[in-house]
Amino acid sequence: MYAKANSVSAIKEMIEIATNKIFAENYAIKHNADAKFGWYRYDTHFAIPVYDDNMELQRYNVFKARILVRHAWDGKLYLYDILWTKKETSKPLEQ
C-alpha cells in the first residue's frame, strides 16, 4: 500500500510510459454507465526515492505496476485504479 500511495506524485509519467495495452469488455452491470466501452490495462513502472537520516538520497526503490483505465461513454480514457504494484529487485537503479 505504501508504494501505491506514493505513486500518486508520478501518475502523469506512469501513464506516459505505460506499455502492453490490453483491452477487456465491461461485463459488470454496475460499470455500464462509467465504462460503457470497456477497460484497458497497461503495464508501467515508477521509482520512490529513499533518504537517510540526514535527508540525503541513498537510492531509489523501483516498482512495476499495472494501471486500469476505463473507456467512457464520451470516448475519453480515464485512469480508474492502480491494480497492483511489485518491487523490482532484479536490477537496482543507481544514482
Side-chain angles (χ1 to χ4, degrees), residues 5-31:
N6 284 305
S7 69
V8 171
S9 63
I11 288 291
K12 181 180 177 188
E13 291 81 8
M14 288 173 61
I15 293 169
E16 289 174 353
I17 63 172
T19 60
N20 261 356
K21 180 178 175 180
I22 299 170
F23 175 76
E25 293 285 339
N26 177 42
Y27 296 111
I29 295 172
K30 68 180 182 178
H31 293 298

Side-chain angles (χ1 to χ4, degrees), residues 51-65:
Y51 298 96
D52 65 10
D53 293 336
N54 297 324
M55 296 305 294
E56 293 183 22
L57 181 64
Q58 294 298 303
R59 67 181 184 283
Y60 288 92
N61 285 335
V62 179
F63 295 86
K64 293 180 184 178

Side-chain angles (χ1 to χ4, degrees), residues 1-8 10 14 17 42-50 59-67 82 84-93:
M1 187 61 109
Y2 168 78
K4 185 175 177 178
N6 284 305
S7 69
V8 171
M14 288 173 61
I17 63 172
Y42 296 87
D43 293 332
T44 190
H45 58 276
F46 62 96
I48 297 175
V50 178
R59 67 181 184 283
Y60 288 92
N61 285 335
V62 179
F63 295 86
K64 293 180 184 178
R66 176 157 292 167
I67 57 176
I82 300 173
W84 57 259
T85 58
K86 181 177 182 191
K87 188 173 182 180
E88 177 61 60
T89 58
S90 63
K91 47 186 175 191
L93 182 64

Side-chain angles (χ1 to χ4, degrees), residues 23-26 32 34-40 71-75:
F23 175 76
E25 293 285 339
N26 177 42
N32 281 348
D34 60 350
K36 182 176 183 175
F37 298 118
W39 302 90
Y40 292 97
H71 192 176
W73 63 270
D74 59 3

